[in-house]
Amino acid sequence: MNSLGSIKLPFIFIIDYLQKNIIVEEIECVDSSSILYDLNGLSNLEAKHTPSTNYEIEIFPQSIEDYEKSFNIVKENINKGNSYLVNLTCSTPININLQLNELFFHTKALYKLMLKDRFIIFSPETFIRIKNGYVYSYPMKGTIDASLPNAESIIMNDPKEAAEHATIVDLIRNDLSIIASHVSVPKYRYIDRIQTNKGVLLQVSSEVRGKLQENWQSNIGSLLFSLLPAGSISGAPKKKTQEIIAEAETYNRGFYTGIMGYFDGENLDSSVMIRFIEKDGDKFFFKSGGGITSRSELNSEYNEMIQKIYVPIY
């Protein structure tokens, strides 16, 4: 990545959660029979979105009793002071009447990517963007059904959600300080509207910004890896929190919650790989989760994990 960046040669990248499986391809060499992408407008296909009404999904979430076992491991560590924010996720079996390539064409999202016969991502969340020498991050924490009465007021005034969001913004601010100077938070806790097949979700976001050194392109890979894993899908402090995640979660994340993106020769855009369907043989699994803090309640977190199981076809 550093070598390609130093000569300003465009490429895409896909990096798994544990940073053990990494795909880097020059954009002109990407095989569209194996990888399909539409990353905030940069795509290797002309047809980017084909709405569909023939969509059915059935989900089989784990029981709340099984979820509680993982939840309690996380809460126990938080109560001991080992972490103050842990992103706890699950892998949920689903039945769906579309194949991965069909999902790619029928879904609508800011960032989409499909790896043939393996997984598809339709993510709304930016990891970092680099433009004109500045690096930007847009952490998203806090989700609510927009159809609920006073939904925006509820989510913005919820102490647990406010504390969780403040924690992740502080973590991202500290992360960007590793690679940038003059780090600031120009916009704090604003509402994004995310369309799903179940309706609209409200998602609380912030903007964090910093100034990079000149010729940052020659260190593009080093910059990215110094920020991994993404704070929004791990927690704080990162190293200990990853140990807690490994103990609490009952499956391997794989590429889920890694990052994907592209370098166009001058600027960079990337996404956290959430909203994720994985294929294993003839079975499909939807991976989802949320942040746990000392104020988290079991039923609320369990329901949020299920609420995030959606496919953006509309």
Side-chain angles (χ1 to χ4, degrees), residues 4 28 76 99 121 161 207 212 226 232 248 250 263-264 268:
L4 293 174
E28 63 180 24
E76 181 180 353
Q99 295 300 311
I121 305 118
E161 296 291 354
E207 177 184 287
L212 294 174
S226 68
S232 63
T250 57
F263 172 65
D264 66 6
L268 177 141

Side-chain angles (χ1 to χ4, degrees), residues 55-61 92-97 284 286 309:
Y55 161 59
E56 298 175 5
I57 184 172
E58 187 178 11
I59 69 172
F60 304 91
T92 300
I94 64 170
N95 287 337
I96 193 164
N97 66 329
F284 293 88
F286 197 114
I309 301 174

Side-chain angles (χ1 to χ4, degrees), residues 119-153:
F119 60 79
I120 183 172
I121 305 118
F122 25 85
S123 177
E125 182 172 352
T126 302
F127 176 52
I128 63 167
R129 287 182 185 145
I130 300 177
K131 187 173 183 179
N132 299 326
Y134 283 87
V135 57
Y136 300 84
S137 186
Y138 303 88
M140 305 174 77
K141 278 295 173 186
T143 305
I144 192 170
D145 184 344
S147 67
L148 294 174
N150 303 311
E152 183 170 340
S153 177

Side-chain angles (χ1 to χ4, degrees), residues 5-25:
S6 66
I7 58 175
K8 299 188 176 181
L9 191 63
F11 63 87
I12 67 165
F13 54 90
I14 312 167
I15 304 170
D16 75 340
Y17 166 64
L18 293 177
Q19 303 150 60
K20 292 183 177 180
N21 295 286
I22 300 156
I23 299 170
V24 179
E25 292 276 359

Side-chain angles (χ1 to χ4, degrees), residues 15-148:
I15 304 170
D16 75 340
Y17 166 64
L18 293 177
Q19 303 150 60
K20 292 183 177 180
N21 295 286
I22 300 156
I23 299 170
V24 179
E25 292 276 359
E26 296 176 28
I27 284 179
E28 63 180 24
C29 297
V30 176
D31 181 357
S32 61
S33 67
S34 298
I35 300 174
L36 297 177
Y37 63 86
D38 183 0
L39 302 172
N40 196 13
L42 183 75
S43 177
N44 62 341
L45 289 175
E46 292 184 7
K48 298 179 182 179
H49 177 224
T50 305
S52 171
T53 56
N54 301 317
Y55 161 59
E56 298 175 5
I57 184 172
E58 187 178 11
I59 69 172
F60 304 91
Q62 65 182 122
S63 68
I64 193 168
E65 291 79 15
D66 285 341
Y67 178 84
E68 185 176 18
K69 295 174 185 176
S70 298
F71 180 84
N72 285 343
I73 291 172
V74 170
K75 284 297 289 283
E76 181 180 353
N77 275 278
I78 290 174
N79 292 336
K80 288 180 178 178
N82 294 329
S83 177
Y84 47 94
L85 172 64
V86 179
N87 187 261
L88 178 63
T89 72
C90 303
S91 180
T92 300
I94 64 170
N95 287 337
I96 193 164
N97 66 329
L98 298 175
Q99 295 300 311
L100 295 183
N101 62 325
E102 294 174 309
L103 285 167
F104 182 87
F105 286 107
H106 292 315
T107 52
K108 188 173 183 179
L110 188 60
Y111 304 93
K112 293 195 299 182
L113 183 140
M114 186 203 74
L115 207 58
K116 183 180 179 180
D117 293 328
R118 294 183 64 183
F119 60 79
I120 183 172
I121 305 118
F122 25 85
S123 177
E125 182 172 352
T126 302
F127 176 52
I128 63 167
R129 287 182 185 145
I130 300 177
K131 187 173 183 179
N132 299 326
Y134 283 87
V135 57
Y136 300 84
S137 186
Y138 303 88
M140 305 174 77
K141 278 295 173 186
T143 305
I144 192 170
D145 184 344
S147 67
L148 294 174

Side-chain angles (χ1 to χ4, degrees), residues 86-269:
V86 179
N87 187 261
L88 178 63
T89 72
C90 303
S91 180
T92 300
I94 64 170
N95 287 337
I96 193 164
N97 66 329
L98 298 175
Q99 295 300 311
L100 295 183
N101 62 325
E102 294 174 309
L103 285 167
F104 182 87
F105 286 107
H106 292 315
T107 52
K108 188 173 183 179
L110 188 60
Y111 304 93
K112 293 195 299 182
L113 183 140
M114 186 203 74
L115 207 58
K116 183 180 179 180
D117 293 328
R118 294 183 64 183
F119 60 79
I120 183 172
I121 305 118
F122 25 85
S123 177
E125 182 172 352
T126 302
F127 176 52
I128 63 167
R129 287 182 185 145
I130 300 177
K131 187 173 183 179
N132 299 326
Y134 283 87
V135 57
Y136 300 84
S137 186
Y138 303 88
M140 305 174 77
K141 278 295 173 186
T143 305
I144 192 170
D145 184 344
S147 67
L148 294 174
N150 303 311
E152 183 170 340
S153 177
I154 291 171
I155 193 71
M156 294 300 283
N157 293 299
D158 185 313
K160 179 263 177 185
E161 296 291 354
E164 182 180 336
H165 196 93
T167 298
I168 198 60
V169 169
D170 190 52
L171 174 60
I172 298 301
R173 184 180 58 80
N174 288 335
D175 277 356
L176 291 193
S177 295
I178 297 172
I179 65 171
S181 61
H182 302 92
V183 175
S184 63
V185 185
K187 292 194 291 183
Y188 183 67
R189 296 194 78 213
Y190 59 88
I191 295 289
D192 282 322
R193 297 177 65 85
I194 300 174
Q195 181 72 47
T196 80
N197 61 297
K198 301 175 184 178
V200 177
L201 295 178
L202 302 185
Q203 184 92 52
V204 184
S205 301
S206 289
E207 177 184 287
V208 188
R209 183 182 72 175
K211 182 75 169 67
L212 294 174
Q213 294 183 347
E214 293 185 7
N215 300 318
W216 59 268
Q217 291 92 342
S218 61
N219 293 308
I220 190 171
S222 301
L223 295 178
L224 279 171
F225 277 88
S226 68
L227 300 177
L228 294 177
S232 63
I233 50 72
S234 52
K238 280 188 184 180
K239 184 176 180 180
K240 181 59 181 178
T241 299
Q242 282 190 279
E243 295 174 5
I244 298 167
I245 288 171
E247 179 185 0
E249 293 185 347
T250 57
Y251 75 105
N252 294 320
R253 289 190 180 188
F255 278 93
Y256 172 57
T257 66
I259 65 166
M260 61 184 181
Y262 69 88
F263 172 65
D264 66 6
E266 292 292 337
N267 299 307
L268 177 141
D269 198 355

